[in-house]
């Protein structure tokens, strides 16, 4: 069977290079060209976060489970699965027709190794692995996962829509340590990577995986049938935002990953038959304060600062167009399943100043701010924070850094005199911080937590309870408690949300509106 | 032209080139050492960047060890120098691809862009300068003076956007962006390279037009030009070779300088027109602290700089027999 | 060509240079003629307009530097001043050739002697590379350069000053012109070389029958080879005579001034040494058009009132000798 197919392909290939070969060899291929500001340098879904890695990962790799737009988990590669009554033993059986792009069939062993590799690096994955006592194949197509301690999010973890993506890889890649990125792109998903036609810094080329057997359900995000309606997908690196839009309007590309906010009027002016906004993914604007060093080791100062922050100022600083930014009090993302306003601070400058006076903080000590230079989002948010601190009576020592310097300096837990810092800001994608267990940003285990190193045992305990809770309603209660606790201790400071918009040309139909741009379901008008 | 190109001349040029290249080795070595030290001292840690936002300190440290970034300055320097002597420029921290492969992939676009731009700028810049000088004070001369001031002071990206707006968006004659190798698609190559080359070439052209104009006006006053007129030579023969061969040295010097400076202009043009070239590679590498890539490209560009200078020097003796090698 | 008809006839030539403060008259109302085979010398101090005259014969004075404003230059039945550019180009280097003062700077330093000689042939005749090369060798031989073939491959800097001037002469004569303009051909050379070059010019004139218009400030050179002489002062012709008449019987006070320390006719070049014009007190006026009367008046020992009111008409002394002076004999 396989041999026959290879022979056939060989013949077809030979026909294609014979001048005036068979008619089907010359049939016009339909191509979708996707413009993005930079192609992912590392495409290993178990290694790198970031929207580009996710875009490529979802195209090439498949997942055991997937969530739909209501965050409901549905099986994707899995055909049937069972859970024991004590919720401690899971049995999975893969569906038929799954093949790697190099033609080998997908086995349970591949999947087990892939879960382990992902689980060694991902936040939720690590929780899953900690809880797991046994994970091994039981047959060619089945495997078992036994928990040693309760964990309620086994299926949710494996369906995770954000980075790091729990993608399934062939054994030989799944066996490599996760600290060493896999450079090949061989999965079992609906698109095959064509490295010989890809060019670093210019394009990544994929072709439709004609062997792929989609599920029968309709596509909804990454769940359901991933039906591809065109032959070839080209990811084209166009670093300049204006050029991206010009290329789209000129018909050179069909789809733009992220529209620069100042260009929105140009898209709207052309009308939906030329170009329209399709997807939006949301990032939370996050301020990090260093809980280990004065003055933010003092809860009163933290609370004063939290009360002094006005989200409206932040939002108008990052985007002149309200379509791109909005205030949001939900720690786990507005529009997400655990959206809530519980415990959110209400901006009150008088109260903030009173708290500062009460705390007796030494205002003569300047606050060291790590401010990323020339970043369209990070820089204005940082400026608003500096301004807020000044209103409280602090002086701010703004240390302007580039992103690499920022990435390493923020790891410094030491005092200011040893290169430490007091305040910095960043962004977190809400698709990756939708639950209390997914995001590193809401950890409060002190020096092991995310940079800023908040410490709060109560929150840690609530998070643990959440991880073991199966009941949907109770989960919601727990997240409200967690959010209230986070605001109380000022462990995490969301200061607004920004939307990043994608633009599709009028030629594209049935584009899925999802946090990652998916290429299935799309049809191209001729 | 009666140029002596006998075997002895060729041998002399070869011998001279080899001497120059050997003499350049210490220069390249010093450049390499400075770059290495600067990168070592520069703040920012590629491991932290590579590990990503959500990485734990342990993951970052693990990466640092794997990449050898935990070693001391001298150990890292020794490893680097030794591997260069083996012809190994290392592996990109971010993509895991060998640096030479990355550079090889990118060099064609930049080389094509630079060569076409240089040819364009030299051809038009020198011609316009000649015409302007020959009719000094005339319409062409004044136009060249004004335009060269304009092009020289306009930032490249403004020129680029104007050209895109005119030729791609309005007239629909040329594509907005992109690059294709001339080996893959000869026509496509030219169609796509035109606007980037004009953008990159206009300031260069302006500079050459001005220097040519000034030089030709000076040479025009020389007695031998009067002799050439008195002999009844037609204008084109007076210009070429009588005037131009004498004017060549300042012009060629400027061409050499211009080619060396293209690398800085190339970044903007490669970015605006989405051309996968060396300029963008190195800027991305710097932003990510991808040390092996930065080091390799720096070495490469200092080498190119030296070769360009050498070619310019050799060309001096070609244009003026009085200059001995 | 009929010996009675002049080869070239210059009538009322007027040349202006565009100076910084306005036009400067370099040559004013100059008329003279050169017969076939004769050598006419124009002498005067630097700035008297003799070089401007020579240049305007080939129309080498072009805007924006200056221009020929009036008069005519009749040559072969045509007025050179009225010719189209291409017609004029056919005259240059073919009918009328020129030797310049500074042989180093007048030869292109970056082209071989061979290239510079052969292109002169090929631009005027449909000659092959080889024909023109042979012609160049012939000419180099004629002007007495040793081993002409190897000279062709040399660059000007590889030759001595005298050799360069010989190359210039060869280049000028290579198309057998009927008029050779020699603008201070020996000024830049050593005295011994000067004599050789002058001898060469005389010899070549005998062999080729070409006419020579010699521009010089050096009366010794004039005495050596010229048959007739024109003396110019401030753009004007002040005296014209055969060389013998001029040296025997100079009429104009300016000519006599030039003569005072100058050589007698027949004195050998070697005796003359550096026979420069004697210093005449005063300076040459700048001819910006405001001056009426004789420009030499301010420096003249014989000056009369009328000298300051109008420029004197030519007065015939003999059939071949005329002078423009109201008071050549010093009457008071």
């Amino acid at each position: 069977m396989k041999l026959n197919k290879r022979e056939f392909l060989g013949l077809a290939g030979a026909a294609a290079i014979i001048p005036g070969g068979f008619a089907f060899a010359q049939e016009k291929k339909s191509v979708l060209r996707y413009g993005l500001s930079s192609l992912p340098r590392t495409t290993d879904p178990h290694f790198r976060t970031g929207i580009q890695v996710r875009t490529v990962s979802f195209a090439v790799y498949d997942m055991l489970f997937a969530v739909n737009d209501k965050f409901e988990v549905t099986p994707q590669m899995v055909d049937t699965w069972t859970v024991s009554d004590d919720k401690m033993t899971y049995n999975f059986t893969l569906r038929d027709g799954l093949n790697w792009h190099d033609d080998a069939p997908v086995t349970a062993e591949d999947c087990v190794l892939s879960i382990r590799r992902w689980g060694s690096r991902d936040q939720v994955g690590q929780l899953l692995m900690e809880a797991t006592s046994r994970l091994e194949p039981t047959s060619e197509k089945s495997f078992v996962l036994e928990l040693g301690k309760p964990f309620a999010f086994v299926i949710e973890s494996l369906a995770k829509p954000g980075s790091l993506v729990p993608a399934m890889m062939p054994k030989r890649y799944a066996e490599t340590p996760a600290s060493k990125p896999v450079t090949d792109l061989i999965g079992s998903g609906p698109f095959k990577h064509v490295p010989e036609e890809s060019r670093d810094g210019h394009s990544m080329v994929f072709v439709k995986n004609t062997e792929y057997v989609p599920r029968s359900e309709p596509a909804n995000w990454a769940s359901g049938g991933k039906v591809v309606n065109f032959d070839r997908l080209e990811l084209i690196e166009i670093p300049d935002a204006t050029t991206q839009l010009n290329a789209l309007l000129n018909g050179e590309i069909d789809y733009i990953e992220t529209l620069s906010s100042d260009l929105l009027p140009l898209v709207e002016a052309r009308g939906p038959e030329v170009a329209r906004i399709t997807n939006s993914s949301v990032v939370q604007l996050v301020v990090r304060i260093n809980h280990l060093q004065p003055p933010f080791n003092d809860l009163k100062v933290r609370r004063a600062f939290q009360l002094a922050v006005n989200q409206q100022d932040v939002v108008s600083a990052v985007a002149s167009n309200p379509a791109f930014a909005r205030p949001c009090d939900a720690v786990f993302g507005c529009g997400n399943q655990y959206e809530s306003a519980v415990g959110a601070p209400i901006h009150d400058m008088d109260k903030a100043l009173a708290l500062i006076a009460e705390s007796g903080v030494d205002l003569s000590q300047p606050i060291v701010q790590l401010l990323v230079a020339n970043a369209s989002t990070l820089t204005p948010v940082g400026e608003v924070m500096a301004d807020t601190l000044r209103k409280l009576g602090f002086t701010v020592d703004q240390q302007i850094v580039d992103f690499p310097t920022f990435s390493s300096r923020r790891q410094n837990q030491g005092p200011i005199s040893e290169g430490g810092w007091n305040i910095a800001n960043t962004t977190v994608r809400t698709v990756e911080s939708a639950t209390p267990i997914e995001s590193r940003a809401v950890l409060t285990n002190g020096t092991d937590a995310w940079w800023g190193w908040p410490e709060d045992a109560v929150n840690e305990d609530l998070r643990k309870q959440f991880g073991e809770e199966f009941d949907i309603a109770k989960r919601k209660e727990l997240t409200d408690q967690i959010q209230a606790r986070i605001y109380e201790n000022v462990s995490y400071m969301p200061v607004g949300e920004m939307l990043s918009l994608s633009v599709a040309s009028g030629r594209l139909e049935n584009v899925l509106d999802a946090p990652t741009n998916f290429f299935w379901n799309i049809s191209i008008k001729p | 032209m009666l140029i002596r190109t006998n075997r002895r001349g060729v041998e002399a040029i070869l011998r001279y080139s080899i001497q120059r290249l050997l003499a350049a080795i210490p220069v390249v070595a010093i450049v390499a050492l400075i770059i290495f030290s600067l990168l070592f001292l520069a703040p920012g840690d590629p491991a932290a960047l590579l590990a990503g936002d959500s990485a734990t300190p342990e993951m970052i440290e693990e990466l640092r060890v794997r990449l050898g970034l935990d070693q001391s300055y001298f150990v890292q320097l020794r490893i680097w120098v030794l591997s260069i002597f083996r012809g190994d420029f290392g592996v990109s921290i971010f993509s895991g691809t060998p640096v030479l492969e990355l550079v090889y992939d990118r060099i064609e676009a930049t080389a094509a862009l630079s060569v076409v731009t240089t040819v364009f700028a030299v051809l038009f810049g020198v011609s316009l300068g000649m015409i302007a000088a020959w009719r000094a004070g005339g319409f062409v001369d004044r136009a060249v003076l004004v335009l060269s001031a304009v092009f020289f002071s306009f930032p490249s990206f403004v020129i680029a956007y104007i050209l895109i707006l005119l030729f791609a968006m309005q007239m629909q004659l040329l594509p907005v962006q992109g690059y294709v190798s001339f080996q893959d698609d000869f026509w496509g190559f030219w169609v796509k390279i035109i606007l980037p080359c004009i953008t990159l070439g206009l300031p260069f052209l302006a500079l050459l037009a001005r220097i040519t104009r000034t030089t030709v006006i000076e040479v025009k006053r020389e007695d031998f030009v009067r002799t050439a007129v008195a002999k009844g030579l037609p204008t084109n023969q007076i210009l070429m070779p009588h005037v131009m061969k004498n004017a060549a040295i300042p012009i060629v010097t400027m061409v050499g300088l211009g080619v060396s400076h293209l690398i800085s202009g190339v970044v903007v043009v490669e970015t605006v027109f989405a051309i996968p070239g060396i300029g963008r590679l190195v800027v991305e590498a710097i932003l990510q602290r991808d040390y092996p890539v930065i080091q390799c490209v720096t070495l490469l560009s200092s080498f190119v700089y030296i070769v360009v200078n050498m070619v310019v020097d050799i060309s001096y003796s070609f244009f003026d027999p009085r200059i001995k090698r | 060509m009929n010996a009675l008809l002049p080869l070239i006839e210059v009538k009322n030539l007027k040349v202006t240079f565009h100076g910084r403060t306005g036009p400067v008259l370099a040559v004013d109302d100059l008329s003279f003629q050169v017969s076939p085979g004769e050598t006419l010398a124009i002498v005067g101090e630097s700035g008297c307009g003799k070089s401007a005259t020579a240049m305007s014969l080939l129309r080498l004075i072009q805007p924006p530097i200056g221009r020929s404003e009036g008069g005519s230059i009749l040559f072969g039945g045509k007025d050179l001043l009225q010719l189209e550019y291409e017609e004029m180009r056919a005259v240059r280097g073919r009918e009328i050739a020129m030797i310049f003062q500074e042989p180093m700077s007048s030869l292109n330093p970056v082209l071989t002697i061979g290239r510079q000689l052969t292109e002169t042939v090929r631009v005027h005749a449909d000659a092959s590379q080889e024909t023109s090369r042979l012609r160049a060798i012939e000419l180099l031989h004629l002007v007495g350069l040793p081993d002409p073939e190897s000279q062709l491959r040399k660059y000007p800097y590889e030759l001595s000053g005298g050799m360069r001037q010989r190359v210039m002469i060869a280049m000028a004569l290579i198309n057998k012109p009927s008029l050779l303009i020699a603008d201070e051909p020996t000024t830049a050379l050593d005295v011994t070389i000067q004599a050789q070059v002058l001898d060469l010019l005389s010899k070549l004139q005998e062999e080729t029958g070409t006419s020579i218009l010699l521009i010089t400030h050096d009366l010794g050179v004039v005495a050596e080879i010229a048959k007739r002489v024109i003396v110019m002062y401030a753009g004007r012709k002040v005296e014209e005579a055969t060389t013998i008449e001029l040296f025997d019987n100079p009429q104009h006070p300016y000519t006599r001034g030039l003569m005072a320390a100058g050589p007698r006719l027949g004195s050998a070049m070697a005796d003359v040494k550096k026979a420069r014009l004697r210093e005449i007190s005063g300076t040459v006026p700048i001819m910006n058009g405001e001056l009426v009367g004789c420009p030499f008046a301010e420096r003249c020992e014989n000056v009369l009132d009328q000298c300051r009111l109008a420029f004197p008409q030519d007065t015939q002394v003999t059939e071949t000798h005329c002078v423009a002076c109201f008071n050549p004999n010093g009457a008071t």
Side-chain angles (χ1 to χ4, degrees), chain C residues 101-173:
Chain C
Q101 178 173 344
E102 204 22 274
M104 181 66 226
S105 61
S106 297
L107 283 170
N108 195 319
V110 302
L111 298 177
T112 58
I113 303 300
R115 156 92 207 198
Q116 299 190 56
L117 284 170
T118 53
E119 71 178 1
T120 319
V121 179
R122 286 157 64 91
V123 75
H124 291 294
D126 186 18
S128 71
Q129 189 76 272
E130 187 53 26
T131 320
S132 53
R133 202 179 78 88
L134 290 174
R135 177 77 182 140
I137 293 169
E138 186 187 337
L139 260 290
L140 287 182
H141 184 73
L142 192 68
V143 297
L145 275 187
D147 192 10
E149 264 181 80
S150 69
Q151 307 294 355
L152 289 184
R153 288 194 298 274
K154 286 186 178 165
Y155 289 92
Y157 76 97
E158 294 171 296
L159 302 178
S160 69
M163 287 163 93
R164 282 181 217 139
Q165 197 58 300
R166 283 166 196 265
V167 171
M168 281 300 290
I169 293 168
M171 203 159 79
L173 295 177

Side-chain angles (χ1 to χ4, degrees), chain B:
Chain B
M1 265 190 255
L2 291 171
I3 301 298
R4 288 177 292 182
T5 47
N6 53 28
R7 251 189 65 216
R8 280 174 61 194
V10 173
E11 273 171 18
I13 288 176
L14 268 178
R15 204 168 43 241
Y16 174 76
S17 310
I18 292 166
Q19 277 170 7
R20 278 288 297 261
L21 288 178
L22 289 176
I25 289 174
V27 179
V28 175
I30 290 169
V31 169
L33 187 68
I34 291 173
I35 292 299
F36 186 89
S37 309
L38 281 178
L39 288 179
F40 189 85
L41 293 172
D45 178 4
L49 263 186
L50 180 60
D53 256 3
S54 60
T56 61
E58 297 77 55
M59 287 183 192
I60 296 172
E61 198 45 42
E62 194 186 337
L63 269 178
R64 287 176 59 84
V65 172
R66 184 167 72 74
L67 297 169
L69 296 169
D70 55 331
Q71 304 286 339
S72 73
Y73 172 81
F74 287 104
V75 173
Q76 287 192 45
L77 181 63
R78 202 188 65 216
I79 292 170
W80 183 60
V81 170
L82 287 178
S83 44
I84 283 179
F85 276 113
R86 287 198 308 269
D88 173 11
F89 284 83
V91 171
S92 160
I93 290 176
F94 281 81
S95 66
T97 321
V99 172
L100 280 182
E101 211 172 286
L102 273 182
V103 169
Y104 179 82
D105 270 3
R106 300 291 197 106
I107 199 137
E108 184 204 293
T110 302
L113 188 61
S114 306
V115 169
V116 178
T117 300
T118 306
V119 169
F120 160 76
V122 170
L123 222 60
F124 286 89
V126 172
S127 312
L128 281 175
M130 265 164 62
I131 296 169
W134 203 250
R135 298 252 178 275
F139 171 75
V140 177
D141 186 26
R142 271 174 289 170
V144 164
L145 284 177
V146 171
L147 288 180
S148 63
V150 168
F151 291 140
F152 202 67
S153 45
F154 258 52
S156 315
F157 69 91
V158 174
I159 299 178
Y161 285 146
I162 293 173
L163 290 175
I164 290 175
L165 198 65
L166 274 177
F167 294 100
M169 305 304 287
Q170 293 290 325
M171 299 188 216
Q172 303 266 323
L173 286 174
L174 297 165
V176 172
Q177 51 83 41
Y179 175 79
V180 60
S181 167
F182 58 89
Q183 292 159 339
D184 296 343
D185 178 359
F186 188 75
W187 262 115
F189 169 78
W190 287 106
V191 166
K192 287 181 173 166
I193 205 94
I194 289 177
L195 291 184
C197 283
I198 294 178
T199 306
L200 190 57
L202 279 178
F204 191 6
L205 182 154
L207 189 69
L208 281 179
R210 290 205 75 140
I211 194 87
T212 304
R213 177 185 177 275
T214 313
T215 316
V216 168
I217 284 178
E218 254 168 49
V219 174
K220 241 178 76 181
R221 298 199 191 106
E222 298 277 350
D223 290 346
F224 60 80
V225 176
R226 190 183 58 192
T227 308
V229 176
K231 289 197 312 193
L233 291 186
T235 308
N236 61 342
Q237 278 190 44
I238 295 171
L239 277 172
M240 205 72 126
H242 280 266
V243 170
M244 289 318 288
K245 214 180 161 201
N246 279 279
I249 285 179
I251 296 171
V252 169
T253 308
M254 197 52 73
V255 171
L257 276 176
V259 170
S260 309
H261 281 244
L262 276 185
I263 191 84
S264 52
V266 125
V267 176
V268 174
V269 171
E270 286 176 355
T271 303
V272 174
F273 291 99
I275 295 169
I278 289 280
R280 255 169 62 202
L281 177 73
V282 72
V283 167
E284 284 160 20
I286 290 168
L287 290 178
Q288 295 177 318
R289 305 284 193 272
D290 199 339
Y291 297 147
V293 176
I294 305 172
Q295 284 153 351
C296 180
V297 174
T298 317
L299 280 186
L300 180 77
S301 52
S302 57
F303 182 73
V304 168
Y305 188 83
I306 284 163
V307 170
V308 167
N309 268 301
M310 191 181 79
V311 170
V312 167
D313 277 3
I314 290 173
S315 77
Y316 286 170
S317 61
F318 170 82
F319 289 114
D320 193 336
R322 288 168 294 184
I323 294 173
K324 294 283 185 200
R325 282 191 284 275

